[in-house]
Amino acid sequence: MAPRARRRRPLPALLALCALLARLQVTVQLSPLCPSERRYERLGRCCSKCEPGKYMSSKCTTTSDSVCLPCGRDEYLDTWNEEDKCLLHKVCDTGKALVAVDPGNRTAPRRCACMAGYHWSQDCECCRRNTECAPGLGAQHPLQLNKDTVCKPCRVGYFSDTFSSTDKCKPWTNCTILGKTVEHPGTEKSDVVCSSSLPSRKPPNEPQIYLPGLIILLFFICVAVVAAVIFGVYYRKKGKALTANLWHWINEACGRLSGNKET
């Protein structure tokens, strides 16, 4: 009698089928029902999210899509969303040295920054007054909004004589253009001091050239004056006698000439 053939067991085939079904189930679970960022899953269907600038007043149903309404005044939403209300814009409080650098709208938030002369400090989460540069230092330009002042030493030819968070180093005064000379040189903390006027252009030896001639001229003038005075005094005393003698001499000369003619 021939031996009976063995029946194959179905176990290996069943295990393989179970493994395949498990893989399919994992794949289905990992694959999202609504892959788009602009849609969401609800009640077994994909529904539309609300666009930026709108909020979701009611979610979708089996028969209708989501209902979105625009944000109100001073509100915003900047992404596709399922939010039931909009976000409020920040308040830029001027009392805390804050100003709005971007007013914002329904789709973008308002941005605040510290006003001019202040900068944001992470230490206090507030605006602090900018650093003032001491004399000899100037503020680096251009000034950066919402940034602390950067102070730099004044280079040669420039100065700063005040405390300031905005002023640059100023150039020294040009005395030559003003028709003056430098009386005191400038420093990094002070300006040049100019004299009242330019010095005389005469050569330094000019007084030595003309002084002897001037002295000689004065000497001759003095001698002439003295001689005139002496002559005047002498003429007053002797003038009359000299005149009488002169006339007497003339008469004698004339008499002699007359005698000679008669002879």
Side-chain angles (χ1 to χ4, degrees), residues 50-55 71 76-81 106-108:
C50 293
E51 63 183 89
K54 295 182 179 182
Y55 70 98
C71 294
Y76 77 99
L77 279 172
D78 56 354
T79 60
W80 288 82
N81 66 89
R106 287 192 175 97
T107 60

Side-chain angles (χ1 to χ4, degrees), residues 92-254:
C92 302
D93 189 353
T94 56
K96 297 180 180 180
L98 287 169
V99 292
V101 293
D102 186 345
N105 49 43
R106 287 192 175 97
T107 60
R110 179 181 298 142
R111 293 191 302 112
C112 302
C114 297
M115 64 176 58
Y118 292 80
H119 66 279
W120 185 258
S121 173
Q122 296 294 343
D123 297 337
C124 65
E125 293 291 321
C126 65
C127 293
R128 290 189 183 275
R129 189 180 295 275
N130 287 352
T131 302
E132 289 188 335
C133 300
L137 302 173
Q140 179 176 311
H141 281 236
L143 299 174
Q144 299 294 319
L145 181 65
N146 208 27
K147 298 287 185 180
D148 195 10
T149 305
V150 177
C151 300
K152 297 185 67 177
C154 297
R155 65 181 189 271
V156 177
Y158 291 79
F159 76 101
S160 173
D161 56 356
T162 60
F163 286 88
S164 175
S165 61
T166 58
D167 292 345
K168 299 187 294 184
C169 294
K170 297 172 288 188
W172 290 341
T173 300
N174 191 327
C175 297
T176 304
I177 294 178
L178 299 177
K180 301 179 180 181
T181 58
V182 176
E183 186 171 341
H184 294 292
T187 67
E188 72 277 3
K189 297 181 181 180
S190 61
D191 193 9
V192 171
V193 177
C194 301
S195 64
S196 57
S197 61
L198 288 172
S200 175
R201 296 177 178 267
K202 293 181 179 180
N205 59 347
E206 185 175 358
Q208 298 179 2
I209 295 175
Y210 291 99
L211 185 59
L214 182 61
I215 293 175
I216 293 172
L217 179 61
L218 291 175
F219 174 78
F220 279 107
I221 292 173
C222 292
V223 170
V225 171
V226 171
V229 171
I230 293 174
F231 180 79
V233 173
Y234 177 80
Y235 179 77
R236 284 185 179 182
K237 292 181 178 181
K238 303 295 184 178
K240 293 181 179 180
L242 181 62
T243 302
N245 292 334
L246 181 61
W247 282 109
H248 179 72
W249 180 79
I250 292 172
N251 290 331
E252 286 184 351
C254 290

Side-chain angles (χ1 to χ4, degrees), residues 14-36:
L14 183 61
L15 291 176
L17 180 62
C18 290
L20 179 61
L21 291 175
R23 289 181 181 179
L24 291 175
Q25 184 178 4
V26 171
T27 303
V28 171
Q29 289 178 351
L30 292 178
S31 299
L33 180 63
C34 305
S36 174

Side-chain angles (χ1 to χ4, degrees), residues 28-36 39-47:
V28 171
Q29 289 178 351
L30 292 178
S31 299
L33 180 63
C34 305
S36 174
R39 303 182 72 82
Y40 68 100
E41 188 274 332
R42 187 170 187 267
L43 301 177
R45 57 173 294 199
C46 285
C47 302

